[in-house]
């Protein structure tokens, strides 16, 4: 299992479009993937579920931790952290 923390930088946070992009990327990997709101200290949610991510309400400036566990965990983690750090192209 690997994990890394980063901060959501896009102005609107993980709303519908960036959440959809994030879930689509997470589903490319066999590993289980979770994302946790470190700022609120909430429990990790399934990063392959758009409903779970939207319900978590992670806005701009939120510190998050992405964790991946499985055969392609490092590749998944690197791709998802890069996506968040890029601001989802916004």
């Amino acid at each position: 299992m690997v994990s890394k923390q980063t901060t959501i930088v896009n102005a609107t946070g993980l709303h519908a479009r960036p959440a959809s992009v994030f879930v689509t990327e997470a589903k490319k990997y066999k590993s289980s993937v979770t994302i946790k709101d470190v700022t609120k200290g909430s429990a990790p949610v399934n990063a392959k579920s758009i409903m779970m991510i939207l319900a978590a309400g992670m806005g701009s400036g939120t510190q998050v931790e992405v964790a991946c566990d499985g055969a392609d965990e490092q590749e998944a983690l690197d791709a998802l952290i890069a996506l968040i750090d890029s601001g989802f192209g916004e």
Side-chain angles (χ1 to χ4, degrees):
M1 180 177 185
V2 294
S3 65
K4 186 171 182 180
Q5 292 188 4
T6 191
T7 302
I8 296 174
V9 295
N10 58 312
T12 55
L14 276 181
H15 67 89
R17 193 197 65 76
S20 175
V21 171
F22 188 82
V23 168
T24 300
E25 185 66 26
K27 285 183 176 181
K28 292 179 183 177
Y29 302 96
K30 294 177 184 168
S31 297
S32 64
V33 183
T34 61
I35 186 167
K36 173 172 113 173
D37 184 335
V38 176
T39 304
K40 291 180 188 172
S42 58
V45 298
N46 181 355
K48 295 182 180 183
S49 167
I50 186 105
M51 296 306 291
M52 296 297 287
I53 289 179
L54 291 174
M58 293 176 262
S60 182
T62 300
Q63 177 108 11
V64 296
E65 180 178 60
V66 178
C68 304
D69 187 21
D72 52 4
E73 61 190 23
Q74 190 62 55
E75 184 183 353
L77 181 66
D78 293 343
L80 293 167
I81 292 293
L83 186 60
I84 294 169
D85 290 347
S86 74
F88 299 93
E90 290 186 344

